Amino acid sequence: MNPKFLNQLGLAMRAGKLVTGDEGVFKAIRSGEAKLVIMAEDASANTRKKFQDKCQYYGVTLMEVGSKYELGRSIGKEMRVTIGVLDGGFAQMLQKSQVNPAEVEHIDQ
């Protein structure tokens, strides 16, 4: 798991730009507040399907990252399966920190 991503997630939590828990995240998705949804890679198949469908329907980006314990620890809580990011700036920052530079192709000019 990328430590930079976890640090930025903790920063977003301290800034009050995250919502956690299934119902809180669903509410943020439906209201249009959620700019990004982060789901643990070890989420149950049922939870994974519900969030994939909801995010696709409402046009919210969904990232599957880390374990429930890693996500929870990064925001100073017990394990967390889903986290909603309410700020566009934090959402972009978190998405960029997950890009592995080795995966980016070299462009010749």
Side-chain angles (χ1 to χ4, degrees):
M1 181 85 186
N2 184 344
K4 182 178 178 182
F5 178 84
L6 295 175
N7 289 336
Q8 291 173 342
L9 200 56
L11 181 64
M13 182 66 180
R14 290 188 297 278
K17 302 297 182 184
L18 299 182
V19 63
T20 63
D22 287 1
E23 287 307 312
V25 176
F26 275 140
K27 183 178 175 185
I29 293 170
R30 283 191 294 266
S31 70
E33 290 181 274
K35 309 301 183 218
L36 172 69
V37 174
I38 299 166
M39 182 171 51
E41 292 172 340
D42 56 352
S44 71
N46 186 35
T47 299
R48 179 173 277 117
K49 172 99 172 88
K50 283 193 298 188
F51 278 94
Q52 286 172 342
D53 291 348
K54 190 69 75 174
C55 286
Q56 183 177 4
Y57 181 79
Y58 285 95
V60 178
T61 303
L62 174 67
M63 293 176 65
E64 293 187 36
V65 180
S67 71
K68 300 175 213 176
Y69 297 101
E70 288 173 318
L71 290 179
R73 192 171 37 243
S74 72
I75 61 171
K77 307 275 185 195
E78 290 292 318
M79 64 179 185
R80 290 291 187 261
V81 177
T82 56
I83 298 172
V85 181
L86 306 178
D87 181 79
F90 277 115
Q92 282 184 331
M93 180 175 66
L94 289 163
Q95 287 176 302
K96 285 180 184 176
S97 71
Q98 273 304 101
V99 174
N100 184 349
E103 295 174 358
V104 177
E105 293 181 19
H106 179 70
I107 300 173
D108 293 325
Q109 293 186 0

